[in-house]
Amino acid sequence: MQKTIGLIGGMSWESSALYYKIINQEVKQKLGGVHSCKSLMYSVDFADIATLQHNGEWDKLSEIMINAARALESGGAEFIVLCTNTMHKLADDISGSVSIPMVHIADATGEAIKAENVKRVGLLGTKFTMEQDFLKQRLADRYAIETIIPSASDRDIVHDIIYQELVKGIITKRSQNAYLEIIDDLIALGAEAIVLGCTEIGLLISPDVTEHRLFDTTIIHAKKAVAFSLE
């Protein structure tokens, strides 16, 4: 019996669509036949979210996320999956507002990294994710994983490509090469693997374009959601 997944999406819809695809592929693989996931999605307008993020209006963002989680719970969702890394800054607010569980992206990722015996990772994501501690500290505290982030100028590059290109579905070789150079620098600094810590980065970087070990949080989180649904 599947539990109904409550997906908070739209941040961006590009990555939310990928979540939906991965989750359904995983359910089909595990259950066979024509099985698909039982899910609800509450999708926000990312233009509003991005503006509030860059204005530092996290209280307003918290209210939006809480309303989304409560709507999903009211609609019959049995647990919450927040389809974005950055908004996990508000994970405690969200999980504390509902009576159903929330599958945290850092826990899913931390478990996957620990299973590979990796102790130090390089992190790519929005500047919020790279510079603030809500993901890095959870990896450190719960999984003893050290996180290395790019230089300030490289963080600007990573962040700008996400918001100016990837969330719009724009994929360019130039941006891919820029990311690959930053990944090489993180490996040179001692990272054993790279965490793709923004749900859109997998649109640009995959094992097909780099020999370095990758942990794609979108794939890991989506598959963890299926595992939780089928428990």
Side-chain angles (χ1 to χ4, degrees):
M1 178 73 81
Q2 293 187 58
K3 300 184 188 76
T4 300
I5 307 170
L7 301 159
I8 303 179
M11 299 169 283
S12 65
W13 74 261
E14 294 281 349
S15 63
S16 299
L18 190 55
Y19 263 89
Y20 187 72
K21 180 179 180 180
I22 295 167
I23 287 171
N24 278 286
Q25 288 174 334
E26 188 76 359
V27 168
K28 180 181 178 182
Q29 181 179 347
K30 289 186 177 298
L31 299 183
V34 294
H35 281 286
S36 56
C37 74
K38 294 174 62 179
S39 66
L40 303 171
M41 181 178 285
Y42 188 109
S43 188
V44 300
D45 183 349
F46 189 55
D48 297 336
I49 300 299
T51 297
L52 291 170
Q53 287 175 340
H54 287 93
N55 289 342
E57 297 185 76
W58 295 99
D59 288 344
K60 291 183 180 179
L61 287 163
S62 177
E63 183 179 347
I64 293 169
M65 294 298 101
I66 286 171
N67 287 340
R70 287 175 174 168
L72 288 169
E73 182 176 29
S74 296
E78 294 173 83
F79 66 100
I80 298 295
V81 173
L82 179 58
C83 303
T84 165
N85 280 272
T86 297
M87 296 305 285
H88 274 77
K89 174 181 172 69
L90 304 172
D92 290 343
D93 293 354
I94 297 165
S95 60
S97 71
V98 292
S99 60
I100 55 177
M102 178 174 172
V103 176
H104 199 293
I105 200 166
D107 292 336
T109 303
E111 290 167 6
I113 295 169
K114 189 173 181 180
E116 296 291 327
N117 295 314
V118 172
K119 304 294 185 184
R120 184 183 293 117
V121 296
L123 174 64
L124 300 182
T126 66
K127 289 178 71 173
F128 311 112
T129 300
M130 291 185 290
E131 294 176 357
Q132 299 179 29
D133 286 338
F134 58 88
L135 192 145
K136 296 183 295 184
Q137 198 63 51
R138 196 172 181 107
L139 291 178
D141 291 345
R142 297 194 174 203
Y143 305 98
I145 296 166
E146 179 186 351
T147 301
I148 302 170
I149 62 173
S151 68
S153 59
D154 283 349
R155 294 197 298 273
D156 286 339
I157 292 170
V158 173
H159 182 91
D160 290 345
I161 288 171
I162 291 168
Y163 280 92
Q164 295 175 16
E165 298 178 18
L166 299 184
V167 300
K168 301 175 184 178
I170 298 170
I171 309 299
T172 70
K173 189 67 175 177
R174 178 180 179 181
S175 293
Q176 185 180 78
N177 288 338
Y179 268 44
L180 290 173
E181 289 180 10
I182 293 168
I183 287 171
D184 286 342
D185 289 344
L186 289 170
I187 295 295
L189 290 172
E192 301 167 60
I194 302 298
V195 173
L196 306 184
C198 172
T199 51
E200 286 85 17
I201 294 179
L203 300 170
L204 189 65
I205 300 297
S206 71
D208 295 334
V209 299
T210 178
E211 62 183 8
H212 299 307
R213 185 160 25 174
L214 303 175
F215 290 93
D216 186 331
T217 57
T218 303
I219 297 171
I220 293 168
H221 197 206
K223 288 186 175 182
K224 181 66 175 181
V226 173
F228 193 87
S229 176
L230 298 178
E231 283 181 355

